[in-house]
Amino acid sequence: VQPGQTKKVKWRGKPIFIRHRTDAEIQAAREVETATLPDPEDDAARVQEGKEKWLVMIGVCTHLGCIPLVDAGEHEGGYFCPCHGSHYDTSGRIRKGPAPKNLEVPEYAFLSDTKIKIG
């Protein structure tokens, strides 16, 4: 997965988005004032220390369970649910629309530089 790309896989019947974030995406996500977010959460809390370039999320909109589009919406490198208009940023945090929560980050571990275990 190249920087700026998202790999989609399935886990327990749900889509998983694995994003190899660019330095610019990480910087933009970290500069957001979390108090302005509908579901405040620091970018650092959504990734593993030392592996900040990798963002792993369940690709299900927290509004009604639709699957957001990757690299779409009002935030470059973000996610957009076209069903009801929820916009998520490069960290998968809700920024606009009816979704009440950020995209969920599942429990995961890096088994190697190229392998992730989810769950």
Side-chain angles (χ1 to χ4, degrees):
V1 181
Q2 296 299 313
Q5 288 184 323
T6 299
K7 171 101 174 151
K8 294 182 233 173
V9 298
K10 262 187 151 176
W11 172 68
R12 295 184 178 173
K14 297 177 184 175
I16 299 292
F17 298 160
I18 301 171
R19 179 134 184 124
H20 188 178
R21 303 189 304 169
T22 64
D23 290 337
E25 289 172 343
I26 294 167
Q27 182 178 349
R30 298 229 163 141
E31 290 175 353
V32 172
E33 183 62 44
T34 57
T36 66
L37 299 174
D39 183 15
E41 188 175 19
D42 285 328
D43 178 71
R46 299 182 56 75
V47 294
Q48 292 186 5
E49 189 175 337
K51 301 283 188 178
E52 292 85 358
K53 290 190 180 233
W54 296 100
L55 178 64
V56 179
M57 301 175 297
I58 298 175
V60 175
C61 181
T62 59
H63 177 232
L64 290 176
C66 304
I67 299 173
L69 302 174
V70 175
D71 292 325
E74 292 183 2
H75 300 275
E76 188 174 335
Y79 307 86
F80 173 65
C81 185
C83 302
H84 302 102
S86 292
H87 295 258
Y88 299 89
D89 65 13
T90 60
S91 189
R93 297 173 297 195
I94 184 64
R95 299 298 290 276
K96 178 181 176 184
K101 300 271 184 197
N102 301 329
L103 293 176
E104 184 181 346
V105 175
E107 184 178 316
Y108 67 95
F110 286 90
L111 302 179
S112 71
D113 287 341
T114 58
K115 197 177 269 191
I116 298 172
K117 177 184 176 188
I118 300 172

